[in-house]
């Protein structure tokens, strides 16, 4: 029983933390239709920035904001490469991801991992410190939930503003944005900044939970985030009261559940990334099959 | 920021003045096509110009040159006396409204009718962090939609993607003329619709242009529409105007005149 509870706590903790990244990738992949690979670089960027700032004694919540800003800046670079320099979307992401590896090393002072044990983090100080005793074992879940919820609500709110509506049009029909007298490229850059900001924030929270920043923690993040987004949005599409932003967080928790379940089958730890890729492939195929069926059901009346 | 250009001292009072514009596609290659050579056109304010012509005659390129989707090789284009060659497409869109052949291009399919109209109404103003849809404007949007007589006023929260092509095109027309614009560009905007819907959309187009006193350039393959609507008719061939008839002269023309000219041209090029 305790083992199961431990697993559940682990699933929720990591599911919620990675769910913040899923929110960001939802913006780039689903809204802008931009397969953003720079996520593999911005996730550890968030972690490294946080480690560097907390080591010099900065308030951990402010470190979160700084991580978001650093990620957003990296997203702007991806957008700049794609929009202004006309480099393809995949290549722009790869360039930024590769470049960020050095940037991250520069931030950590050349070390592959930075530990900041016993420094105040969002889990140990402030809000995390004043939690009543019985809730202590769940402090990571509660605080990750708080960050994910605030992030989700702010994103929902933004997507209903004028700028947010324009962002949604930019992904859906860039020509419409042009007709409105606006530059769709600028909206793309804004979207990439938001997406990578959330990703870096996710890396920041994860590093505070582990009290370690690992320069290699970004590998596989694109796959994990995309899988969460696709699982979430396709499973909960029909449920009216679940918005896509909530669905992708659920998607992240579900993905983590699949991953933990697979690892419970006593697969070697080294197989983790392979399992991640396989689950993603299954999600993609299932999603394609489901949308194929839907297309057949709704025949376009103009094509009869 | 206004959605209309300030009127500068125009040399000849035209709203559009295209002067000595040349355009060659794929220059220097085997596919080189010299389309416009020192092309000139003046359109006075308030004129509704229909443009006909065979494929490759330069009709759509003319619109693209005006809207900025294709740059001219040389020459100058003035709107209200202002040179617009340096403006990008999205900058020109602030004073030029455009309805495309493809009904899905003029609206955002994922957003609701209400959200689309709210965005359109905000054209020319900054798109900041204030709420996108002002609920108090809903009644105004409804009254605008009622002018279309398509019952869209009752579907205001429906995503535009679920509307039919004709409904979308009517909405696109409404959206492109919601803010005051200097010029309306209609790019074969009824071509993808069924006969009934294209009649409806064409009637609406004419009503809007009259009521809002717009200057409009309409490219069409429908000779009947070209004859019936507008007060000037251009027939283009190889980047030149072979027919340019305005007002009474246009009123006296019928589709046979146009067909005869088409046949004449076809004989010339050996088809």
């Amino acid at each position: 029983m305790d083992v199961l509870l431990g697993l559940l706590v682990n699933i929720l903790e990591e599911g919620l933390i990675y769910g913040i990244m899923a929110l960001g990738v939802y913006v780039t992949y689903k809204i802008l239709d931009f397969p953003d690979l720079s996520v593999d670089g911005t996730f550890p960027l968030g972690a490294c920035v946080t480690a560097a700032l907390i080591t010099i004694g900065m308030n951990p919540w402010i470190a979160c904001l700084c991580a978001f800003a650093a990620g957003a800046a990296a997203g702007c670079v991806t957008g700049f490469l794609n929009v202004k320099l006309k480099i393809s979307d995949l290549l722009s992401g790869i360039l930024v991801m590769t470049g960020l590896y050095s940037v991250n090393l520069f931030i950590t002072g050349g070390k592959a991992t930075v530990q900041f044990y016993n420094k105040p983090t969002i889990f140990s100080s402030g809000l995390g410190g004043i939690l009543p005793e019985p809730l202590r074992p769940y402090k990571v879940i509660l605080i990750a939930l708080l960050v994910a919820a605030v992030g989700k609500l702010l994103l929902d709110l933004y997507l209903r503003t004028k700028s947010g509506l324009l962002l949604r049009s930019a992904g859906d029909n860039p020509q419409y944005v042009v007709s409105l007298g606006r530059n769709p490229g600028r909206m793309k850059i804004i979207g990439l900044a938001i997406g990578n900001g959330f990703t870096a924030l996710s890396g920041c929270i994860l590093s505070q939970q582990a009290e370690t920043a690992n320069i290699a923690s970004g590998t596989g993040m694109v796959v994990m985030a995309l899988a969460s987004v696709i699982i979430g949005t396709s499973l909960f599409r029909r449920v009216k009261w679940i918005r896509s932003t909530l669905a992708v967080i659920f998607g992240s928790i579900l993905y983590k559940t699949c991953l933990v379940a697979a690892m419970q089958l006593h697969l070697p730890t080294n197989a983790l990334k392979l399992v991640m890729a396989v689950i993603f492939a299954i999600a993609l195929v299932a999603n394609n099959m489901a949308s194929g069926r839907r297309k057949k059901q709704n025949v376009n009346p103009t094509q009869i | 920021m206004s959605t209309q250009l300030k009127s500068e001292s125009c040399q000849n009072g035209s709203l559009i003045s295209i002067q000595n514009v040349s355009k060659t596609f794929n220059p220097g290659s085997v596919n080189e096509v010299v389309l416009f050579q020192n092309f000139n056109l003046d359109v006075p304010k308030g004129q509704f110009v229909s443009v006909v012509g065979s494929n490759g005659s330069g009709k759509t390129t003319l619109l693209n040159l005006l809207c900025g989707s294709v740059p001219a090789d040389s020459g100058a284009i003035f709107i209200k006396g202002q040179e617009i060659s340096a403006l990008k497409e999205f900058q020109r869109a602030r004073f030029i409204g455009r309805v495309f052949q493809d009904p899905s291009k003029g609206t955002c399919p994922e957003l609701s009718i209400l959200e689309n109209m709210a965005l359109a109404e905000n054209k020319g103003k900054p798109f900041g962090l204030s709420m996108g849809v002002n609920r108090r404007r809903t009644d105004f949007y409804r009254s605008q939609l009622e002018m279309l007589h398509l019952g869209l006023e009752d579907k205001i929260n429906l995503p535009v993607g679920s509307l039919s092509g004709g409904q979308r095109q009517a909405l696109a027309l409404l959206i492109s003329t919601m803010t005051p614009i200097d010029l309306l560009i209609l790019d074969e905007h009824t071509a993808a619709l069924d006969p009934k819907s294209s009649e409806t959309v064409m009637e609406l187009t004419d009503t809007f242009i009259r009521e809002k006193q717009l200057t409009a350039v309409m490219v069409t393959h429908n000779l009947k529409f070209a004859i019936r609507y507008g007060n000037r008719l251009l027939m283009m061939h190889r980047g030149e105007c072979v027919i340019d008839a305005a007002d009474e002269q246009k009123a006296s023309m019928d589709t046979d005149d146009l067909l005869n000219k088409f046949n004449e041209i076809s004989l010339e090029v050996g088809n």
Side-chain angles (χ1 to χ4, degrees):
Chain A
M1 199 59 214
D2 274 355
V3 179
L4 218 59
L5 189 70
L7 284 179
L8 191 67
V9 167
N10 177 256
I11 287 172
L12 284 176
E13 283 176 1
E14 296 205 355
L16 285 168
I17 294 175
Y18 290 120
I20 301 166
M21 172 171 65
L23 283 175
V25 171
Y26 165 72
V27 174
T28 49
Y29 182 72
K30 273 282 166 182
I31 296 184
L32 285 181
D33 198 15
F34 190 107
D36 180 21
L37 299 189
S38 44
V39 164
D40 268 18
T42 39
F43 188 83
L45 174 71
C48 294
V49 167
T50 309
L53 291 176
I54 287 186
T55 310
I56 60 166
M58 185 180 271
N59 178 306
W61 287 104
I62 296 177
C64 290
L65 293 181
C66 294
F68 187 97
C76 286
V77 175
T78 310
F80 178 80
L81 292 174
N82 177 245
V83 173
K84 301 286 178 198
L85 305 184
K86 318 269 181 222
I87 298 172
S88 77
D89 44 11
L90 285 174
L91 276 177
S92 308
I94 290 174
L95 287 173
V96 169
M97 175 180 84
T98 309
L100 279 179
Y101 191 82
S102 295
V103 173
N104 291 340
L105 274 175
F106 181 70
I107 294 172
T108 60
K111 286 176 286 186
T113 53
V114 182
Q115 287 92 3
F116 46 100
Y117 301 133
N118 302 324
K119 290 271 184 187
T121 66
I122 54 171
F123 301 108
S124 64
S125 72
L127 209 54
I130 58 163
L131 276 176
E133 193 58 37
L135 288 177
R136 284 281 161 85
Y138 309 114
K139 64 179 180 188
V140 175
I141 296 183
L142 291 172
I143 290 176
L145 181 67
L146 175 77
V147 178
V150 170
K152 175 216 171 316
L153 291 175
L154 283 178
L155 184 60
D156 279 344
L157 213 56
Y158 170 72
L159 289 176
R160 287 166 60 202
T161 63
K162 294 197 171 86
S163 176
L165 288 181
L166 206 59
L167 181 80
R168 287 157 71 188
S169 323
D172 215 15
N173 180 4
Q175 184 65 51
Y176 185 51
V177 179
V178 171
S179 301
L180 292 170
R182 292 281 139 182
N183 188 348
R186 221 187 91 190
M187 297 318 296
K188 211 184 218 180
I189 295 177
I190 292 177
L192 283 166
I194 295 174
N196 283 290
F198 274 113
T199 306
L201 179 63
S202 173
C204 157
I205 309 284
L206 190 77
S207 75
Q208 297 203 33
Q209 184 221 8
E211 301 190 341
T212 315
N214 185 347
I215 203 130
S217 60
T219 315
M221 284 306 121
V222 172
V223 165
M224 181 182 283
L226 284 179
S228 306
V229 169
I230 288 170
I231 293 173
T233 51
S234 51
L235 274 186
F236 299 107
R237 183 168 12 215
R238 279 155 199 278
V239 191
K240 274 272 187 286
W241 59 271
I242 298 183
R243 280 172 196 270
S244 301
T245 42
L246 184 59
V248 299
I249 297 177
F250 285 166
S252 167
I253 295 171
L254 272 175
Y255 181 74
K256 204 72 215 175
T257 313
C258 297
L259 212 57
V260 168
M263 296 321 280
Q264 283 305 301
L265 301 172
H266 300 292
L267 288 172
T269 324
N270 290 347
L272 182 70
K273 302 282 179 197
L274 183 62
V275 175
M276 280 170 67
V278 169
I279 296 177
F280 182 40
I282 294 172
L284 272 179
V285 172
N287 183 44
N288 285 349
M289 276 160 57
S291 56
R293 266 206 306 279
R294 245 194 332 278
K295 264 186 202 127
K296 269 178 217 150
Q297 281 166 3
N298 303 336
V299 178
N300 188 343
T302 57
Q303 286 173 351
I304 295 174
Chain B
M1 188 166 39
S2 160
T3 51
Q4 277 175 307
L5 279 181
K6 282 198 185 68
S7 190
E8 289 192 3
S9 53
C10 318
Q11 300 104 316
N12 47 16
S14 301
L15 186 105
I16 311 174
S17 180
I18 299 177
Q19 295 175 2
N20 295 320
V21 163
S22 299
K23 178 72 197 171
T24 305
F25 286 100
N26 310 317
S29 74
V30 277
N31 298 324
E32 183 176 280
V33 178
V34 180
L35 192 52
F36 289 117
Q37 267 185 316
N38 296 324
F39 180 79
N40 291 290
L41 180 70
D42 280 284
V43 178
K45 189 171 169 13
Q47 205 167 45
F48 177 5
V49 188
S50 325
V51 185
V52 294
S54 49
N55 292 324
S57 60
K59 309 181 302 290
T60 301
T61 306
L62 176 67
L63 299 190
N64 284 339
L65 287 171
L66 278 171
C67 292
S69 347
V70 167
D73 295 339
S74 62
I77 301 175
F78 295 88
I79 291 194
K80 275 192 170 173
Q82 212 178 97
E83 225 301 67
I84 59 165
S85 299
L87 297 181
K88 293 204 177 68
E89 187 180 5
F90 74 89
Q91 290 166 324
R92 296 189 202 185
R94 288 176 191 156
F95 52 86
I96 300 179
R98 186 172 189 180
V99 185
F100 295 87
Q101 179 178 0
D102 181 355
S104 62
K105 271 196 176 174
T107 45
C108 176
E110 199 204 303
L111 300 182
S112 67
I113 297 181
L114 190 65
E115 287 167 325
N116 267 285
M117 293 187 76
L119 278 177
E121 197 188 18
N122 199 55
K123 178 172 162 176
K125 296 189 201 118
F127 285 80
L129 292 179
S130 55
M131 275 328 260
V133 176
N134 182 350
R135 292 270 156 194
R136 272 172 292 176
R137 297 289 289 164
T138 310
D139 286 337
F140 169 72
Y141 299 145
R142 284 223 168 83
S143 69
Q144 293 275 307
L145 288 167
E146 274 165 18
M147 298 195 306
L148 304 178
H149 304 295
L150 291 171
L152 293 182
E153 58 275 12
D154 302 323
K155 302 177 179 170
I156 201 152
N157 288 314
L158 229 57
V160 170
S162 65
L163 304 181
S164 74
Q167 288 172 327
R168 275 202 225 181
Q169 201 65 319
L171 184 63
L173 183 70
L174 178 63
I175 274 176
S176 61
T177 56
M178 250 173 100
T179 46
I181 46 172
D182 291 317
L183 174 64
L184 178 63
I185 297 281
L186 304 161
D187 186 358
E188 295 182 43
H189 70 307
T190 61
L193 307 179
D194 64 62
K196 179 78 181 61
S197 305
S198 65
E199 289 280 348
T200 316
V201 169
M202 199 56 234
E203 277 295 334
L204 283 170
T205 310
D206 196 45
T207 316
F208 280 168
I209 290 174
R210 275 171 208 276
E211 278 177 8
K212 301 184 182 182
Q213 297 177 336
L214 297 169
T215 312
V217 178
M218 171 175 80
V219 160
T220 180
H221 278 300
N222 188 325
L223 299 182
K224 211 171 63 192
F225 286 167
I227 291 287
R228 202 192 311 160
Y229 297 100
N231 43 20
R232 183 172 173 189
L233 192 144
L234 292 181
M235 184 189 273
M236 309 257 312
H237 177 60
R238 291 186 169 177
E240 278 172 35
C241 297
V242 287
I243 293 182
D244 183 354
D247 304 321
E248 291 88 31
Q249 197 190 347
K250 174 179 184 286
S252 67
M253 294 179 79
D254 58 25
T255 43
D256 288 340
D257 296 332
L258 292 182
L259 275 175
N260 290 338
K261 191 74 187 172
F262 260 118
N263 289 334
E264 213 175 284
I265 290 168
S266 300
L267 285 178
E268 260 173 52
V269 292
N271 288 342

